Amino acid sequence: MDLGAYRPVLANRDTRNALLLGFLIRVPMWAGAVILTLHVVSSLGRSYGEAGLVTAASTVAVAVSGPWRGRLLDRIGLRRTVGPSLVVQVVCWSIAPWVGYAPLIGFAALAGLFVVPTFSILRQVIIRSVPSDQRRTALSLDSSATELSFMAGPAIGVWLATSWDTGWALLVCELTSVAAGFVLWLVNPRLTSDSDSAQSGSGGDSTGERVALDEVGEASRAEAIAAGAAVPDDGPRGRAIRGFITVPVAAVYLAAACSTLVLSGTDVSIVAALRSFEATGSIGWVLALWGAGSLVGGLLYGAWHRSFSVFWLLFGLAATTAPVALAVGVPSFAVLITVSGFLCAPTITATVEQLSRHVPERFRGEMMGWHGSAMTAGSAIGAPVAGFAIDHGGWQWGFVVVSALGVVIAAAGLVGSHVGRRPAGSTARTDSEHGVAAASMDH
């Protein structure tokens, strides 16, 4: 482990600016989500279930828009994608705080469809701005910055909603987020390297070279990824399911969805556990400890000397979640939940890093859009699954069930990668096209 690995990454101006801008954009985003719930409950006099429907409408819209907005980034660029989004956001959030419940759902969904794809944009900038061997470190910094914004945003949102009228708080917060998006539009950071543009227009020779690499070089590439070595971004590996989505890419998306399934289930279970301990007032600082564990884990992973398979990290994340069910009071619960957070950021970082190595640069916007949709889908599944388990077995079962699901999926991914490997002496074409593609799921 070498903490000095962060020095050249932070010395890179593009990376440093992306990290700072990401933090400034995400803080009002997290704050706005909390204020929206409090606005529905307090100002509109609705139930928490009805507030959840507003959030669900926005979340589904964001998930649907992810691949579409990412594809626009790839095809027409940042400014032409973000510009119309900013206009829609201003219109929606200038009106939404002052309307009734039903129109609010519509405005929240419309704003979600045209959300500025900040996660996709900033991660593309970070990936583009650093050498391949610094990618994991840079993405780990981004995950850590996200954790910091997640720790700060909800606290600021609660303060604004309790200090001001929730309508004005929602307006100020969402327009602050739009202003941050306008800064992103103004700066207009480059999303892809110059070499990719040249390669895209180079004609049929490039295609032939990629086919040869697909058939011959995949095994060595997979080994390089596993060892954390730098590898060229040559193109999608294995037989495509749809466009750039190959079996290894689909496997990483599944891991991403499962990671947020575990995390969203844990989130619900934390609230249920602390209510059971009659320590509802401790929810805020316990969640902060969970985020702090993830922050530390992300920084250590970024300083580590190699990458790990996303399935190993997912396995560790899920396995460390189950022991939280053994807590007998707030002190032991706080310790166990902090430990369970340690692999949150590394797992998310690994999904982005490994996707960036499997998918050509010209598809990275859409790649990140699908990544966001996969994580949103996992979150949408994890919370109700944990809630059902809690209702029928107590708060402990919330942790146990999502942990078990994570372990099973991670184990299936690891077993699949092992079975997919062929004997070293095999030279059959089917081994090149299918076995190696399956093996790279682990990397």
Side-chain angles (χ1 to χ4, degrees):
M1 183 174 63
D2 178 19
L3 292 175
Y6 287 107
R7 190 176 299 111
V9 173
L10 290 172
N12 186 302
R13 184 180 63 181
D14 286 352
T15 305
R16 193 169 59 245
N17 289 343
L19 291 170
L20 177 61
L21 190 56
F23 180 80
L24 295 176
I25 288 174
R26 290 161 186 164
V27 167
M29 181 184 72
W30 300 128
V34 173
I35 294 173
L36 182 60
T37 296
L38 295 175
H39 176 70
V40 173
V41 172
S42 60
S43 295
L44 300 184
R46 300 285 181 150
S47 68
Y48 280 99
E50 289 171 308
L53 288 177
V54 178
T55 302
S58 176
T59 301
V60 170
V62 171
V64 170
S65 74
W68 164 54
R69 309 294 291 163
R71 196 175 302 120
L72 287 178
L73 285 174
D74 294 331
R75 293 180 178 178
I76 65 176
L78 187 150
R79 283 190 167 173
R80 291 173 63 190
T81 301
V82 171
S85 292
L86 295 175
V87 175
V88 173
Q89 296 293 314
V90 168
V91 172
C92 285
W93 293 117
S94 295
I95 300 173
W98 320 115
V99 299
Y101 177 71
L104 179 61
I105 295 177
F107 280 114
L110 181 60
L113 281 175
F114 285 88
V115 68
V116 177
T118 54
F119 280 86
S120 175
I121 291 171
L122 294 170
R123 283 173 176 164
Q124 285 187 79
V125 173
I126 289 170
I127 291 169
R128 188 268 305 162
S129 63
V130 297
S132 182
D133 60 339
Q134 295 177 6
R135 189 174 296 173
R136 171 172 42 83
T137 304
L139 289 171
S140 294
L141 273 177
D142 179 64
S143 293
S144 297
T146 301
E147 291 294 340
L148 284 174
S149 67
F150 182 72
M151 293 165 70
I156 293 173
V158 171
W159 176 76
L160 287 174
T162 54
S163 301
W164 299 357
D165 175 80
T166 56
W168 284 106
L170 184 61
L171 176 69
V172 169
C173 198
E174 294 295 349
L175 291 187
T176 299
S177 186
V178 173
F182 177 73
V183 173
L184 187 62
W185 179 89
L186 200 62
V187 174
N188 191 25
R190 189 158 48 88
L191 303 182
T192 59
S193 63
D194 294 331
S195 60
D196 183 71
S197 300
Q199 191 179 50
S200 297
S202 61
D205 292 341
S206 175
T207 303
E209 290 171 4
R210 289 183 181 182
V211 170
L213 283 170
D214 281 346
E215 295 183 351
V216 178
E218 179 62 43
S220 59
R221 177 185 174 92
E223 294 296 331
I225 293 173
V231 292
D233 300 315
D234 294 315
R237 302 297 163 180
R239 184 166 293 176
I241 299 171
R242 177 193 177 279
F244 65 86
I245 301 181
T246 61
V247 171
V249 170
V252 177
Y253 283 139
L254 176 62
C258 189
S259 65
T260 52
L261 182 154
V262 174
L263 296 178
S264 63
T266 300
D267 198 0
V268 172
S269 301
I270 289 172
V271 175
L274 292 175
R275 289 186 64 186
S276 176
F277 292 144
E278 297 183 353
T280 306
S282 300
I283 291 175
W285 65 264
V286 169
L287 287 173
L289 281 179
W290 187 37
S294 177
L295 174 65
V296 172
L299 291 174
L300 291 178
Y301 182 65
W304 204 252
H305 63 279
R306 55 159 292 182
S307 297
F308 290 92
S309 163
V310 67
F311 287 109
W312 277 117
L313 292 169
L314 175 60
F315 186 92
L317 172 65
T320 55
T321 298
V324 183
L326 301 176
V328 294
V330 174
S332 59
F333 186 86
V335 171
L336 290 169
I337 202 66
T338 303
V339 172
S340 76
F342 192 74
L343 290 176
C344 295
T347 305
I348 302 302
T349 297
T351 61
V352 178
E353 180 197 9
Q354 291 176 32
L355 283 172
S356 73
R357 298 191 187 281
H358 282 299
V359 178
E361 194 173 34
R362 66 185 182 278
F363 293 126
R364 279 204 189 134
E366 188 175 356
M367 172 198 85
M368 291 305 307
W370 282 109
H371 180 264
S373 296
M375 295 184 68
T376 301
S379 296
I381 295 170
V385 165
F388 181 84
I390 292 167
D391 290 340
H392 289 80
W395 65 266
Q396 294 91 340
W397 282 98
F399 292 102
V400 171
V401 168
V402 296
S403 172
L405 288 172
V407 166
V408 168
I409 292 176
L414 291 169
V415 170
S417 66
H418 177 74
V419 171
R421 292 188 178 97
R422 293 290 189 267
S426 176
T427 57
R429 180 179 177 85
T430 54
D431 177 68
S432 174
E433 291 185 345
H434 301 292
V436 175
S440 64
M441 288 173 63
D442 186 28
H443 304 291

